[in-house]
Amino acid sequence: MNKLFDKLCVLRAPRIGPVRYAKLISQFGTPAAAVEALGLGAEHFDKVHREMDEAAEKGIHYISDNDDIYPQMLRRVKNHPPVITVRGNLDVLRRPMVSIVGTRHATAAGMGFVREMAREFALRGIVVVSGMAMGTDTAAHAGALAADGSAQTVAVLAGGADYIWPLENESLYRRILERGAIISEMPVGFVPNQTNFVQRNRWIAGLSEKLILGEADINSGSMTTARFAAEYGREVWAIPSHPADSRAAGPNSLIAAGTAKLCSGISDFFNSAPSCMGNEKKLNSENSLLDAIGSIAVSESVLTEIVKKSISEIKRDLVILELQGLIRKTDGGYVRT
């Protein structure tokens, strides 16, 4: 048996995660010795073989923590995942990363702010990491994808790398595969439970040098991610918001406690603007389309006449605006949210 197979056999055994795996390796010396000590049989080996075959069919790569391409920042986290699965562009693993998280119920203004920051990071070659949830996560991924190029964003999933959740973000998942990567520590096809989401938050925090917290309730999962980042010695930033809104409680409390630095925009991280004329044109295109949408539903065909663009271009920009939470689709067309 090869080393990767041995590692997976241990990791896929019942009740074994990164912590117990580390203890087993410390006790027995190698994954192969741990496999023998656990008394794993042919049925278990067949299950792991089937998983690896399915991963190969779906273009999912296994990256072990002794591989050069394994994310350096994540490797520094105690009890990090011994093996991760990656679907998409492996180049993301070699680049610097910033994590951006926040509530699923973010305001349009909050998502717009996050989206623009994510785009600016991506323009500068910084990979944007988030969890592909609705709201803030979606805005972060969409913002990174609005920049030209590839390997701009990473979605860390609680389930398998092929398990799309939430289903509303299937189109976002596909776009991330084309221009970024999906990362998971779980088996192919794995359906997550609540515990898995907490573990996923650990790796979102661990992958990056910096974590930026958007709108978040005080007891939210995003606040847990920020705490993990602080524990790992990462730089934590928080975007302040109106104190009357419960979604401001999380970031405002971290700023007040001195746990996070106040994030006022991309200028906190960079002094000079990147060369991005093509992206400015793209953003202007989306803005002109947004200006044409109001409280009365307007169809795609009417929008093509208003903004003088092809139906394919209109559809592309509508997807981006919808991912931002700035518009929504109704029976009669699109309206502003």
Side-chain angles (χ1 to χ4, degrees), residues 31-89:
V35 168
E36 186 175 352
L38 290 169
L40 302 173
E43 184 177 348
H44 183 76
F45 299 152
D46 288 344
K47 179 181 177 181
V48 174
H49 275 304
R50 288 195 301 271
E51 180 195 332
M52 295 179 74
D53 289 343
E54 186 177 357
E57 290 174 6
K58 294 181 176 180
I60 297 174
H61 304 269
Y62 291 97
I63 307 296
S64 179
D65 60 357
N66 56 2
D67 294 332
D68 291 340
I69 199 172
Y70 190 94
Q72 292 185 13
M73 297 300 293
L74 186 59
R75 188 187 281 119
R76 297 176 191 174
V77 175
K78 184 180 180 181
N79 296 322
H80 57 262
V83 177
I84 57 174
T85 55
V86 183
R87 193 179 196 185
N89 191 337

